[in-house]
Each structure stands twice: as C-alpha cells, then as structure tokens.
Amino acid sequence: MNELKPFKTILYATNLGDRMRPVFRHALNMARVHHAKIIMLHAVAPIGSTGQAILSMYLPDKQVHDIEQESLNQLIDTMRERLKNYCAEEDDFCKDKDSLIDKIVVSPGNPAHVINHYAEAHAADLIVIGSHTRHANDHTMLGSTARTVTQHSKVPVLIIPNGG
C-alpha cells in the first residue's frame, strides 16, 4: 500500500474573482498542515488571432508584445495588492503568509491547460481551485475550468465550493 506523502508545493489557481477567499483560505490551511509552499497562479486567456491581427495593423509587433507584458505585470501587481488587502482584513489567517507564498504568477493561455501545465512543470503536489468562475445559476456541479483541470490533472485536485 502506498503511503500518503505530505504536499510540498500547492498550486492555488485563482481567477481573481470576488468569491476566491474560501479557496485561498483552504490553500493556506493545506500549506500550513503540510509545511508546503504555495504558488499563486492566474491564467489569462489570450487575445486570439483576430485581436492580434487588429493590433498588428495599428502597432508594431514589439509594441504589441510590450503592451501584453505590461498587462501581465499589472495583473501580478493586482494579485499582490489583493493578497495584502486579504491579509489586512484577515490578520490572524495571514500571519505566516510570507513563509507560505513562494511565487505569484500570471500566465497567458487557456486557463485549464495553463493550470495543468504549470502544475506539472513546477512539480506541484496539489492543485487548489474554486468550483466555479461565476455564479453557478445553471445548477452545474463544476465550472468548465475546474472540470477540465480535474479530468486532465496528474496530481490531486482540491475543489472548493465558491459558486455562491
């Protein structure tokens, strides 16, 4: 029988939505229990070939690349600010966040694919993700990203209800 090993790296996948607090709280709890590090990941859907073509008509490729990079950096700043605000409001819960949060990352691409690829590439032992991106008004059990992540993940996935 295989022995369960503690998690060392937890990938917390966030959509930066307003219902992600319980998901983050669970990621922090799991990191504490397992003495693990958290990688906070936000996947940004790419603008697509049509958007790229339109931008290329008006801007040089380098400028388009620079704008994309600046947008990713702004999202990382947003994630840091939200983490700071979360910890200011839930002081007890974040007392050891600096020892738990290893990286804050924004990566372009299809969210489910980015999450699974990042988990594999960075040897994550657990993915923590919310059950829904938006309000679950159609009575689905899982949102499409959570469903796809669980179907294709090579590591355990902890799905936290956040559909509201």
Side-chain angles (χ1 to χ4, degrees), residues 60-104:
D61 286 342
K62 179 172 177 2
Q63 196 170 0
V64 171
H65 173 75
D66 291 348
I67 290 169
E68 288 175 338
Q69 194 58 51
E70 178 63 27
S71 296
L72 295 178
N73 290 338
Q74 286 175 354
L75 281 169
I76 289 173
D77 290 343
T78 297
M79 290 172 73
R80 285 189 179 117
E81 185 66 25
R82 289 184 70 165
L83 178 60
K84 181 178 143 189
N85 292 340
Y86 173 87
C87 289
E89 293 169 17
E90 305 206 20
D91 191 77
D92 273 0
F93 216 80
C94 287
K95 59 187 173 290
D96 55 354
K97 77 162 174 56
D98 292 336
S99 65
L100 297 175
I101 307 296
D102 185 42
K103 292 181 204 171
I104 298 176

Side-chain angles (χ1 to χ4, degrees), residues 135-149:
H135 184 67
N137 58 3
D138 61 0
H139 305 293
T140 58
M141 292 195 46
L142 289 178
S144 59
T145 299
R147 185 176 52 253
T148 303
V149 167

Side-chain angles (χ1 to χ4, degrees), residues 6-164:
F7 302 120
K8 295 178 184 170
T9 303
I10 297 171
L11 181 63
Y12 161 63
T14 178
N15 63 8
L16 300 178
D18 58 352
R19 289 187 299 274
M20 291 304 292
R21 281 183 178 230
V23 183
F24 184 59
R25 197 173 295 120
H26 274 79
L28 281 172
N29 274 334
M30 293 299 289
R32 281 193 191 98
V33 167
H34 291 271
H35 304 287
K37 294 288 187 181
I38 296 174
I39 298 172
M40 295 177 66
L41 173 66
H42 175 63
V44 180
I47 64 170
S49 57
T50 303
Q52 195 77 14
I54 291 170
L55 285 175
S56 295
M57 288 178 9
Y58 298 101
L59 301 170
D61 286 342
K62 179 172 177 2
Q63 196 170 0
V64 171
H65 173 75
D66 291 348
I67 290 169
E68 288 175 338
Q69 194 58 51
E70 178 63 27
S71 296
L72 295 178
N73 290 338
Q74 286 175 354
L75 281 169
I76 289 173
D77 290 343
T78 297
M79 290 172 73
R80 285 189 179 117
E81 185 66 25
R82 289 184 70 165
L83 178 60
K84 181 178 143 189
N85 292 340
Y86 173 87
C87 289
E89 293 169 17
E90 305 206 20
D91 191 77
D92 273 0
F93 216 80
C94 287
K95 59 187 173 290
D96 55 354
K97 77 162 174 56
D98 292 336
S99 65
L100 297 175
I101 307 296
D102 185 42
K103 292 181 204 171
I104 298 176
V105 181
V106 175
S107 184
N110 172 287
H113 296 131
V114 167
I115 293 165
N116 280 327
H117 174 75
Y118 205 90
E120 190 171 339
H122 293 84
D125 306 297
L126 176 70
I127 297 169
V128 179
I129 189 171
S131 59
H132 292 85
T133 299
R134 293 179 280 288
H135 184 67
N137 58 3
D138 61 0
H139 305 293
T140 58
M141 292 195 46
L142 289 178
S144 59
T145 299
R147 185 176 52 253
T148 303
V149 167
T150 58
Q151 288 171 339
H152 299 284
S153 178
K154 295 181 178 164
V155 299
V157 178
L158 177 61
I159 300 173
I160 307 302
N162 71 328

